[in-house]
């Protein structure tokens, strides 16, 4: 059972010891689903205008398992193709795997403390743009030694890309972690 609590519906557990710094899920991560901003915008427009149950189901999948990315200046969606898609949030800094290493948690940051410099990259920088697909699809790194049987946890705040979502995500994660 997940250490996150009764409200957690899934979890990912290490089958073997994973040393600090090891890559997790990198072999499968190159197959992630990347929905370009233009495709995402068209899908949103179509589902608003027409009754398209299959497209609505596809969007529900993207919203349930993916994360929005504004790295190219427009909103696109990425769905991790590894089992890490089902990793729970590590409350109050208990996460042990990440793609980035932020130092804030839902309990230590304020809803108005969005750090745009940490979450946003210059979408017009060709060096950044060239490496974005690799960075978005590179799996996680163990932030400390993870023992076999231990739950692998992420910091969901690392997936927030804009100030509006930041406020909602911080509030939601605080409530989840407090069990309210």
């Amino acid at each position: 059972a997940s250490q996150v609590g009764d409200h957690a519906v899934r979890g990912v557990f290490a089958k073997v010891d994973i040393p600090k710094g090891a890559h997790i899920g990198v072999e499968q991560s190159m197959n992630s689903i990347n929905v370009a901003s233009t495709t995402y915008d068209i899908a949103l427009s179509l589902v608003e205008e027409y009754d398209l149950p299959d497209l609505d189901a596809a969007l529900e999948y993207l919203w349930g398992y993916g994360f929005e990315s504004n790295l190219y200046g427009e909103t696109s969606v990425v769905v991790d193709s590894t089992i890490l898609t089902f990793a729970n949030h590590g409350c109050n800094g208990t996460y042990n795997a990440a793609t980035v290493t932020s130092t804030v948690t839902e309990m230590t940051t304020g809803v108005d403390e969005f750090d745009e410099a940490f979450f946003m990259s210059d979408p017009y920088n060709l060096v950044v743009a060239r490496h974005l697909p690799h960075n978005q699809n590179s799996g996680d790194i163990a932030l400390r030694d993870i023992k076999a049987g231990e739950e692998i946890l992420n910091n969901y705040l690392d997936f927030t890309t804009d100030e509006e979502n930041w406020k909602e995500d911080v509030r939601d994660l605080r409530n989840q972690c407090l069990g309210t």
Side-chain angles (χ1 to χ4, degrees), residues 1-14 24 64-65 80 82-99 106 140 143-144 146 149-159 173 176-177:
S2 173
Q3 71 180 31
V4 176
D6 294 337
H7 55 279
V9 294
R10 51 185 79 89
V12 177
F13 298 84
I24 306 170
Y65 297 103
D80 186 347
T82 73
I83 192 71
L84 294 173
T85 293
F86 303 107
N88 285 314
H89 172 70
C91 292
N92 204 18
T94 59
Y95 56 93
N96 53 18
T99 54
E106 71 289 337
D140 283 357
L143 300 176
R144 61 170 176 76
I146 301 171
E150 186 178 348
E151 186 169 9
I152 297 173
L153 301 167
N154 276 303
N155 182 359
Y156 283 9
L157 290 179
D158 291 345
F159 302 113
L173 289 171
Q176 175 186 325
C177 292

Side-chain angles (χ1 to χ4, degrees), residues 43 52-64 79:
L52 301 169
D54 290 341
L55 183 57
D56 190 45
L59 286 171
E60 289 294 329
Y61 171 78
L62 292 177
W63 295 327
V79 180

Side-chain angles (χ1 to χ4, degrees), residues 13-18 146-151:
F13 298 84
K15 291 180 85 174
V16 298
D17 290 345
I18 303 170
I146 301 171
K147 298 292 182 194
E150 186 178 348
E151 186 169 9

Side-chain angles (χ1 to χ4, degrees), residues 89-95 98 100-116 118-119 143 154-160 166 169-170 173-174:
H89 172 70
C91 292
N92 204 18
T94 59
Y95 56 93
V100 294
T101 54
S102 66
T103 57
V104 298
T105 74
E106 71 289 337
M107 299 299 186
T108 63
T109 190
V111 293
D112 295 320
E113 294 179 21
F114 180 76
D115 183 359
E116 189 170 318
F118 178 78
F119 291 96
L143 300 176
N154 276 303
N155 182 359
Y156 283 9
L157 290 179
D158 291 345
F159 302 113
T160 303
W166 175 261
D169 290 350
V170 169
L173 289 171
R174 277 186 186 164

Side-chain angles (χ1 to χ4, degrees), residues 56-77:
D56 190 45
L59 286 171
E60 289 294 329
Y61 171 78
L62 292 177
W63 295 327
Y65 297 103
F67 57 93
E68 290 185 348
S69 171
N70 294 330
L71 294 176
Y72 285 116
E74 299 291 330
T75 302
S76 61
V77 179

